[in-house]
Amino acid sequence: MSSSSSSSHLAFAHPEERAAATASADPRDRISLRDYMVDVEIGAFQTERGLTQRLMFNIVVEVQPQAAPLDDDVDKIMSYDRITEAISDELAAGRVNLLETLAEHVAERILAAPQAMRAFVRIEKLDRGPFKLGVDIVRTRAAVPVQAQTDDGAVLHPVVAFFDNAMIADAALVARVAGLEARGAPLVLCVGMPEVAPAQVGIDVVQKRIDLLAIEQNAWVLAARNRDWLVVDSRTEIDWAIRQGKTIVWAPPKLVLDAVDSPLDRASDGAALALWLAEELAAQALVMPEGQKLSAGSRVPVETFAEQAG
């Protein structure tokens, strides 16, 4: 199947197939709800007011695999009821005009569950004609943003930026970072593997730690370009530095190894780690080099670096 026909097929495929197609090399577990139908008053047109119409929900949720034995205990898993309750609770919260709004809010309710990592939500109207009208969204869990230590309790959404090795070595690096700092948001700088590959040991769990340490070394190389940039590794230190308005260089080993939803399977992929951190920090944007590939479905907007003036 060609790439274009494959993309068309996935566009209309069930969310289970879309989830499988975009899974990482170490995919999460998935639970699903198929063909769940409810009668709802929804719609932006006047003709849709005062009447109910059938909506069909198909939802797939990627969940963090359970590390400890399940022991056949329902309290150790994410219940299917969490999905149906997200639908019923959102419908009970008030009338909405758009399927897009309903899908977004249902995904948010599902992703509030600690086990839920990514949600595929498809909602279709069945009564608008001899066809189905629908919307599909993919949303990834994003953590609560850093809370400012001010009387108004403002939240801080940083900008996360990923630098490849060519950009780290570029004479324009400091000016490029200054441009990002001028946006006025807290700034977190991320890097990938260094040019020289680390030792290869043939033991996967050990290799992942070596790769993370290699990225940390590259973070220190970046930080050496400006003494004002602060290398940090723990969430506590990141939150403190963001509140202080520091420009941060992220050293990933500690946070990745300690996380419940650890991206350890992507330990050598600096761009994927940067995306994960952006989601954890509820960043306002992730800035990437032109052409850098990322998995789909992030709730964090992805931008590319602006061209530098010659």
Side-chain angles (χ1 to χ4, degrees):
M1 185 181 294
S2 69
S3 60
S4 60
S5 60
S6 176
S7 297
S8 298
H9 171 76
L10 281 177
F12 292 95
H14 189 273
E16 286 181 351
E17 189 171 349
R18 295 181 64 201
T22 58
S24 66
D26 185 16
R28 300 170 179 136
D29 296 341
R30 294 192 291 270
I31 63 174
S32 63
L33 175 71
R34 276 183 176 265
D35 300 341
Y36 182 78
M37 196 181 309
V38 294
D39 289 319
V40 181
E41 184 188 338
I42 187 172
F45 295 107
Q46 200 63 40
T47 54
E48 295 178 288
R49 295 185 178 275
L51 300 173
T52 61
Q53 54 186 305
R54 293 176 300 160
L55 296 185
M56 180 176 288
F57 291 79
N58 282 278
I59 297 175
V60 174
V61 184
E62 290 183 350
V63 296
Q64 181 69 20
Q66 180 68 31
L70 287 177
D71 298 325
D72 209 27
D73 184 351
V74 71
D75 290 336
K76 293 183 177 180
I77 64 166
M78 179 175 171
S79 171
Y80 302 102
D81 292 340
R82 184 74 185 229
I83 304 177
T84 56
E85 287 170 359
I87 296 170
S88 59
D89 290 349
E90 189 53 43
L91 293 176
R95 189 187 189 282
V96 296
N97 289 331
L98 302 177
L99 288 181
E100 289 84 352
T101 303
L102 180 58
E104 184 80 35
H105 291 177
V106 168
E108 287 180 358
R109 288 179 181 272
I110 291 170
L111 291 168
Q115 304 98 323
M117 298 295 114
R118 192 162 62 147
F120 295 73
V121 179
R122 171 178 291 176
I123 310 177
E124 296 168 304
K125 290 184 178 182
L126 304 183
D127 297 328
R128 289 299 303 276
F131 40 69
K132 297 177 181 178
L133 298 174
V135 61
D136 279 76
I137 69 169
V138 184
R139 295 293 181 267
T140 302
R141 180 178 66 86
V144 176
V146 179
Q147 197 82 19
Q149 292 178 325
T150 57
D151 292 339
D152 61 6
V155 294
L156 302 173
H157 296 275
V159 171
V160 175
F162 175 77
F163 291 82
D164 60 24
N165 290 320
M167 297 174 76
I168 295 172
D170 192 345
L173 171 70
V174 174
R176 191 184 292 274
V177 173
L180 293 172
E181 291 172 333
R183 296 172 62 151
L187 181 60
V188 183
L189 312 180
C190 300
V191 301
M193 297 283 279
E195 291 286 356
V196 179
Q200 302 297 303
V201 297
I203 304 173
D204 187 58
V205 65
V206 177
Q207 188 64 55
K208 287 181 169 67
R209 289 175 176 264
I210 291 173
D211 292 344
L212 288 171
L213 289 170
I215 292 177
E216 179 174 2
Q217 289 181 321
N218 214 20
W220 283 101
V221 171
L222 174 64
R225 296 291 302 276
N226 190 312
R227 292 185 178 182
D228 291 333
W229 301 344
L230 182 65
V231 178
V232 296
D233 60 2
S234 70
R235 179 59 195 257
T236 298
E237 192 173 13
I238 289 173
D239 289 359
W240 175 85
I242 285 176
R243 293 189 185 107
Q244 300 302 312
K246 303 286 188 181
T247 293
I248 300 167
V249 181
W250 181 44
K254 177 174 173 52
L255 204 53
V256 170
L257 293 170
D258 290 349
V260 174
D261 176 34
S262 174
L264 190 58
D265 61 301
R266 291 156 283 170
S268 63
D269 187 343
L273 296 181
L275 174 59
W276 175 82
L277 181 68
E279 292 169 351
E280 288 295 302
L281 298 178
Q284 64 177 255
L286 171 63
V287 186
M288 305 293 290
E290 186 73 36
Q292 181 69 52
K293 299 296 185 182
L294 288 173
S295 59
S298 172
R299 298 178 72 184
V300 175
V302 178
E303 305 173 7
T304 55
F305 281 100
E307 290 293 329
Q308 289 291 104

